[in-house]
Every structure is written in C-alpha cells, then in structure tokens.
C-alpha cells in the first residue's frame, strides 16, 4: 500500500477509506469484524464512521461495532486512523444535535465510549451548523485537543465559503483548522468542482468523497439488472434519469476491460485535492475487489472520454462567467 498525506497534514492514510455505514443495518457484526480485519491485511488503515450510523436514534450502533472490534486488541486500534462525525440528532432533546460547544463536548465523550478508545484521530462536523459561530465551534475543538480527546478536525458537506470562513477563523485563533472535507462527489455529481475543491486545494484540505459510486449507479447497474438482480424503486428512477450516460459509461468500461465501480473510484483519485474515496463494502468480496482500483491507470484520453460522458465544472466563476 502506498500511503498518502491527508491534505497538508502529516497524517498518512491509505488512498481508500473504509466506510462503515453498512455495519449493523446491512452487515452483521461478525461480517463487519471480518471486513475490518481484512482491510488491515490489505493495508487499509483509514476508517470512517459517524455517531448516527446504525440509524436507531441515539444508539450509535455502528460506532459500537467498531469499538467492540477495537476491544479485541491485536493492534487494531493502534493501526487505525479512525474518523467519526457529529451533528446529527441523537435524542429528542434540543442540545443533542448540531455543533454547539455543549453538543461537541457531549457527543465526543459518547463517541469515545462507544468506540472504546481514549482519542479520535479525525473529529468531523457532519454538516454545517448555521446557528453556531465558528469561534464557538473552534473553542470547543481546541479544548478537546488540549484534553487529548481528538487529534485533527475535519468537515463534511461544507460549502466552499464555509471552508474559507472556518479556516480564517481558525487562523485568527492560531489553531490548525480543518485538515479534511468529506464531500458528495462522483462522476455524476460534480458540483463541488465549482468552489469546494478549489477551496480545499488552496487551504490544504484532503477531500474524502462519499457516495463515489452514486448509490450504485456507477457500479455496473445495467449488467446487474439484466442478470435479474433486484434494484430499489429509487435506483430504477435514477437509472432512467441517467440511462444514456450510464449506457455509454458501461460500454467504455468494457472497452477498458475494467469493472465500472473500480473505474469510478480510479477517476476520483485523479481529481484535484482528493485523498481517499470512501468505499462501503457490505461483503469481503466487495472489499477485496475494490483493491483493483489502485492498479487502474487512466490516461489523459480516458479522462477526457469520461468528461465527455459526464461533463463537469470549471472553477467558479469561469464556469458561468468570464
């Protein structure tokens, strides 16, 4: 595994990040343990989770699964760069959500308990909180850092101007600020190219794309449906919306003799500021197959062909003005 720095930080992570969102709801605990063990064997040291994953209010089921895996020992915690997130609602009470100093304190302690660890490598704001000033946000994060409960801070689903404001506020406070941004980014969803990616590049944030396969649309969906595999109603609707592009994409992947899922991930690794797409395997086979991504070399002609199928954006304002 060739490890890479997350943004401008000194933190070295694998170029694929293991997403744990399926652990609990779709993947059993035993299978989740097997996937995490195999990820380490393959050299993947970067895991992502969130306090809301598991989708039962306040329980943090996925963090608990990761915590019980850590508790087995064998260097599991020490070898893992664990990133978790806060913002989502964890109870019916008003202060158990968002990014107030109070919730940051409470949510961090709760995640530490569920994860069975005494520190979080990257503590991420799962979404922007428009009601909390960045000075309050950073003061709370500074305290957690001083207490040794977190090492780095990241963001997720921030706009470009949110990143700029966060970083300028942190700089004024002589704090390191954000080292990463998790954004919705894939061949079909490229709006972050307007301002988020340029902001991350300028401020030195590593981008961690979520939903890199567009919910499965970029994972060879046509051939799966043709083979009689089930698809959700929402997937069918999205497929009909993008069918022409998906047909052209899968045909191009056939020309490359590569699986569409791995081409989509390989494309992300070629994009500005991107450090590690988040893969969310439900099975060992899916995890192991994803490693093919790191062997795919997309040349300029291939990248141009993908841009032709899925047009992207230039940096703002040139994308829409002179």
């Amino acid at each position: 595994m060739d490890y890479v720095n997350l943004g401008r930080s000194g933190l070295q992570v694998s170029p694929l990040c293991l997403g744990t969102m399926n652990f609990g709801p779709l993947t059993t605990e035993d299978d989740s343990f097997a996937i995490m063990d195999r990820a380490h064997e393959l050299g993947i040291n970067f895991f992502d989770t969130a306090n809301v994953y598991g989708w039962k209010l306040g329980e943090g089921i996925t963090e608990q699964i990761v915590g019980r895996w850590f508790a087995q020992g064998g260097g599991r915690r020490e070898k893992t760069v664990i990133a978790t997130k806060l913002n989502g609602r964890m109870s019916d009470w008003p202060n158990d959500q968002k990014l107030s100093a109070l919730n940051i304190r409470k949510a961090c302690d709760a995640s530490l308990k569920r994860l069975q660890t005494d520190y979080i490598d990257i503590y991420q704001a799962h979404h922007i909180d428009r009601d909390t000033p960045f000075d309050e946000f950073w003061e709370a994060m500074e305290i957690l850092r001083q207490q040794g409960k977190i090492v780095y801070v990241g963001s997720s689903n921030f706009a470009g101007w949110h990143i700029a404001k966060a970083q300028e506020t942190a700089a004024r406070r002589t704090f390191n600020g954000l080292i990463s941004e998790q954004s919705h980014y894939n061949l079909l969803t490229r709006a972050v190219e307007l301002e988020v990616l340029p902001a991350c590049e300028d401020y030195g944030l590593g981008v961690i794309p979520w939903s890199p396969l567009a919910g499965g649309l970029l994972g060879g969906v046509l051939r799966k449906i043709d083979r009689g595999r089930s698809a959700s109603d929402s997937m069918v609707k999205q497929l009909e919306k993008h069918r022409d592009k998906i047909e052209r994409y899968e045909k191009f992947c056939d020309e490359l003799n590569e699986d569409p899922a791995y081409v989509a991930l390989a494309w992300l690794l070629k994009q500005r500021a991107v450090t590690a797409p988040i893969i969310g395997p439900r099975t060992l086979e899916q995890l192991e197959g994803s490693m093919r991504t790191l062997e795919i070399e997309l040349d300029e002609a291939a990248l141009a062909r993908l841009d032709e199928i899925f047009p992207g954006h230039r940096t703002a304002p040139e994308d829409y003005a002179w």
Side-chain angles (χ1 to χ4, degrees):
M1 181 68 68
D2 292 324
Y3 296 95
V4 292
N5 287 77
L6 183 56
R8 289 181 190 161
S9 77
L11 184 65
Q12 292 217 316
V13 297
S14 49
L16 294 175
C17 177
L18 180 68
T20 63
M21 191 170 68
N22 291 323
F23 295 176
L26 296 177
T27 305
T28 67
E29 183 159 325
D30 286 345
D31 287 346
S32 300
F33 283 11
I35 287 171
M36 289 186 280
D37 281 334
R38 183 60 178 147
H40 271 187
E41 290 171 2
L42 294 169
I44 296 174
N45 73 333
F46 191 14
F47 293 10
D48 175 72
T49 190
N51 61 354
V52 294
Y53 289 172
W55 313 116
K56 288 189 178 180
L57 184 63
E59 294 192 22
I61 290 171
T62 303
E63 282 189 333
Q64 290 188 45
I65 291 172
V66 176
R68 287 190 287 271
W69 180 74
F70 282 155
Q72 295 180 96
R76 287 176 172 83
R77 174 64 186 98
E78 293 78 8
K79 295 174 184 175
T80 303
V81 174
I82 186 67
T84 193
K85 301 184 283 291
L86 83 152
N87 187 306
R89 189 166 63 93
M90 294 297 284
S91 85
D92 292 328
W93 290 90
N95 291 309
D96 288 339
Q97 60 184 319
K98 297 191 174 181
L99 301 178
S100 69
L102 177 59
N103 189 47
I104 287 173
R105 175 179 176 170
K106 291 167 62 179
C108 181
D109 285 345
S111 285
L112 289 171
K113 184 177 181 180
R114 286 189 292 265
L115 289 167
Q116 301 193 45
T117 184
D118 56 4
Y119 70 99
I120 294 164
D121 296 289
I122 310 171
Y123 201 34
Q124 304 163 114
H126 208 160
H127 203 280
I128 190 68
D129 176 6
R130 296 176 176 86
D131 297 325
T132 300
F134 273 113
D135 274 310
E136 178 179 347
F137 171 81
W138 282 124
E139 182 181 40
M141 290 297 183
E142 289 161 13
I143 291 170
L144 293 181
R145 177 81 178 273
Q146 290 163 4
Q147 293 173 334
K149 294 179 179 180
I150 67 171
V151 183
Y152 298 99
V153 181
S155 61
S156 182
N157 304 305
F158 275 28
W161 75 271
H162 296 142
I163 292 168
K165 191 168 184 180
Q167 296 303 75
E168 293 303 321
T169 305
R172 177 165 50 79
R173 301 179 64 91
T174 65
F175 194 67
N176 284 341
L178 304 170
I179 69 158
S180 61
E181 158 62 22
Q182 272 193 41
S183 287
H184 189 194
Y185 189 29
N186 55 58
L187 279 162
L188 274 168
T189 305
R190 299 181 60 171
V192 292
E193 294 171 350
L194 286 162
E195 299 194 32
V196 174
L197 297 191
C200 289
E201 192 171 46
D202 189 70
Y203 283 105
L205 278 66
V207 175
I208 311 165
W210 61 266
S211 193
L213 304 184
L217 284 176
L218 299 170
V221 64
L222 292 176
R223 45 191 95 180
K224 293 174 183 177
I225 288 178
D226 289 344
R227 292 171 187 162
R229 292 175 60 177
S230 61
S232 65
D233 291 341
S234 60
M235 171 72 78
V236 172
K237 288 179 182 178
Q238 287 298 308
L239 176 58
E240 291 311 307
K241 180 180 178 181
H242 300 290
R243 179 173 283 273
D244 177 63
K245 291 180 179 179
I246 298 301
E247 287 178 348
R248 293 166 62 196
Y249 174 63
E250 292 197 14
K251 182 179 179 182
F252 177 55
C253 291
D254 286 339
E255 293 173 18
L256 295 176
N257 197 30
E258 296 288 355
D259 188 290
Y262 311 147
V263 172
L265 291 167
W267 176 83
L268 278 169
L269 287 171
K270 287 284 191 178
Q271 305 312 303
R272 63 195 301 183
V274 169
T275 298
I278 297 174
I279 57 172
R282 296 188 301 276
T283 66
L284 274 174
E285 292 74 21
Q286 290 176 345
L287 170 66
E288 291 170 348
S290 297
M291 299 305 291
R292 173 61 189 158
T293 301
L294 305 179
E295 301 172 1
I296 296 175
E297 288 292 338
L298 297 175
D299 60 20
E300 292 302 319
L303 293 171
R305 181 81 174 274
L306 290 169
D307 280 338
E308 179 186 335
I309 298 170
F310 302 105
H313 296 277
R314 292 184 296 163
T315 300
E318 286 84 359
D319 189 79
Y320 47 77
W322 55 271

